[in-house]
Amino acid sequence: METEMLVLARQDVEQKGFLDLDLDPTLDLFSEIERLKKEKNAILLAHYYQEPDIQDVADYIGDSLGLAQQAEKTDADMIVFAGVHFMAETAKILNPTKRVVIPDLKAGCSLSDSCPPPLFKKFKDQHPDHVVVSYINCSAGIKALSDVICTSSNAKFIVESFPKDQPIIFAPDKNLGGYINRTTGRNMLLWNGACMVHEIFSLEKITRLKVRHPNAKLIAHPECEEPILRIADYIGSTTGLLKFTKSDSSNEYIVATETGILHQMMKANPEKTFIPAPPDNSCACNDCPHMKRNTLEKLYLCMKYETPEITMEEDLRQRAKKPIERMLEISAKAGL
Ligand code: 13P
Ligand code: SF4
């Protein structure tokens, strides 16, 4: 229920920003977040790349497909999205009447940024016989220009839902697109985008690490570049990688994706060893700077003041919704 006090407090916070607020350091943020969830009938959805504290307080942790499916079926009044902007935006597209908040509105995505809608529209217009399959890591503007959306866990099914001779544009991730081309035998036209985190891994250092840890399996996200994927023992979405570590009999893994997922891997397999895949240079790390903009403090504040909120023009939302719904239908039919 919107009280006048909440509206005024929110306006004040929106003007000054969270940084100017004096947050009592003795506050137990975990129990405060639990209290706010009940008080506001809110659901807290978090991606695996969030910091461990946020993962521990979430109602649901998942990959992009799981998060979209949860967002679609929730009956909560408020969706608190601990992830990046395109994820919260997807939740809003599916839930126009609910308030969708995100701890930091600036939590973006380099992959999504690599595909600006006006440029992509020109590219698409040059290939009028192609259908467009877009990876969910893109803006609502790109989704609105797409025929169907996919995630890393359903991309193969989505692409294979089209006849073999159907020309396809795949955007924005050239690495995931290339991987799907190789596994399906298609020749999709790829937009030249990539994720800054998954492009950072060093083939040479991983090879050296494998020599030192001969029993370790390399598990990689399909956003990684082809040379890394070529030597990987298993390739999958974040949920796929986590499931693999639970069902596989090895005791050691080199993990080529963002480090946030290691928290769940270690929780599920306390007896196993997980080594983050080494990046190209020694001052870079495989933390996503966008995902890591969200903190437990900002999460608490965004729930308390119900801001920053995701908003969108209705016409854009309607156009972006169709390809997401198509993805959810195909995924449900495939049992994903
Ligand atoms: P998934 O969790 O769907 O595998 O996606 C990874 C990612 O890069 C999210 O930004
Ligand atoms: Fe985007 Fe890469 Fe960060 Fe995922 S890990 S949010 S794809 S920049």
Side-chain angles (χ1 to χ4, degrees):
M1 232 350 222
E2 283 268 276
T3 63
E4 201 182 331
M5 249 171 66
L6 175 63
V7 174
L8 289 173
R10 185 189 307 134
Q11 282 168 356
D12 194 40
V13 168
E14 278 167 357
Q15 269 173 16
K16 294 181 189 155
F18 285 161
L19 287 176
D20 275 359
L21 291 178
D22 275 333
L23 190 58
D24 177 358
T26 64
L27 207 61
D28 179 349
L29 294 178
F30 292 93
S31 58
E32 281 299 304
I33 288 170
E34 290 302 343
R35 181 182 63 75
L36 288 170
K37 274 192 215 169
K38 287 195 192 91
E39 188 183 301
K40 295 173 186 258
N41 187 26
I43 186 168
L44 172 51
L45 305 178
H47 188 264
Y48 289 119
Y49 296 165
Q50 292 295 285
E51 61 174 44
D53 282 352
I54 294 181
Q55 293 187 35
D56 288 346
V57 79
D59 296 306
Y60 176 85
I61 322 165
D63 66 1
S64 306
L65 178 63
L67 289 164
Q69 287 167 332
Q70 291 295 320
E72 191 197 28
K73 69 179 187 201
T74 185
D75 55 8
D77 292 323
M78 181 164 82
I79 300 175
V80 184
F81 215 111
V84 289
H85 191 274
F86 75 80
M87 296 178 167
E89 198 174 54
T90 303
K92 184 67 186 176
I93 291 167
L94 294 167
N95 291 283
T97 58
K98 293 189 201 302
R99 186 179 284 277
V100 178
V101 293
I102 182 166
D104 191 322
L105 201 55
K106 290 195 188 124
C109 168
S110 67
L111 180 51
S112 175
D113 291 347
S114 69
C115 194
L119 277 186
F120 185 69
K121 167 98 176 51
K122 270 192 197 152
F123 179 69
K124 182 184 159 170
D125 289 347
Q126 285 161 8
H127 305 282
D129 56 333
H130 285 56
V131 296
V132 176
V133 177
S134 293
Y135 187 33
I136 199 164
N137 297 36
C138 64
S139 63
I142 296 297
K143 289 187 174 81
L145 291 167
S146 306
D147 292 285
V148 61
I149 300 304
C150 72
T151 73
S152 51
S153 56
N154 62 18
K156 191 169 176 288
F157 289 93
I158 300 288
V159 167
E160 287 182 332
S161 71
F162 291 99
K164 258 214 161 285
D165 57 353
Q166 169 65 58
I168 300 175
I169 290 175
F170 188 90
D173 188 8
K174 64 176 177 194
N175 293 319
L176 175 63
Y179 171 65
I180 299 297
N181 270 345
R182 292 191 294 280
T183 50
T184 61
R186 306 267 171 144
N187 187 23
M188 298 185 294
L189 201 51
L190 308 180
W191 180 262
N192 189 19
C195 158
M196 61 190 283
V197 179
H198 290 87
E199 282 216 311
I200 211 169
F201 301 114
S202 156
L203 180 63
E204 200 186 318
K205 287 187 189 168
I206 292 177
T207 309
R208 233 178 272 143
L209 200 58
K210 281 189 97 165
V211 173
R212 284 216 325 275
H213 299 264
N215 296 323
K217 282 191 177 151
L218 172 65
I219 58 174
H221 194 279
E223 285 176 25
C224 293
E225 292 176 310
E226 186 184 350
I228 306 288
L229 296 179
R230 226 184 294 126
I231 60 161
D233 297 290
Y234 176 80
I235 298 166
S237 77
T238 48
T239 297
L241 297 175
L242 178 60
K243 278 191 185 155
F244 181 76
T245 64
K246 293 181 195 170
S247 62
D248 182 63
S249 59
S250 305
N251 282 316
E252 222 178 349
Y253 301 88
I254 300 167
V255 185
T257 190
E258 213 269 1
T259 52
I261 187 76
L262 267 69
H263 181 55
Q264 295 302 325
M265 288 178 175
M266 291 190 293
K267 262 172 107 167
N269 308 282
E271 72 295 352
K272 297 189 178 185
T273 304
F274 297 96
I275 310 166
D280 240 335
N281 68 50
S282 49
C283 60
C285 71
N286 14 337
D287 277 343
C288 171
H290 308 290
M291 286 278 182
K292 294 313 198 282
R293 285 189 78 97
N294 295 331
T295 61
L296 199 64
E297 289 78 8
K298 288 185 204 168
L299 173 60
Y300 161 72
L301 292 168
C302 97
M303 291 180 76
K304 180 173 175 182
Y305 295 107
E306 303 182 14
T307 191
E309 186 186 0
I310 305 285
T311 55
M312 191 178 322
E313 278 175 28
E314 182 55 15
D315 170 55
L316 175 62
R317 190 191 73 78
Q318 289 284 355
R319 285 182 290 124
K321 192 172 94 162
K322 279 194 199 129
I324 300 174
E325 284 181 339
R326 190 164 172 193
M327 169 188 81
L328 292 171
E329 275 163 31
I330 298 171
S331 303
K333 274 193 200 136
L336 296 171

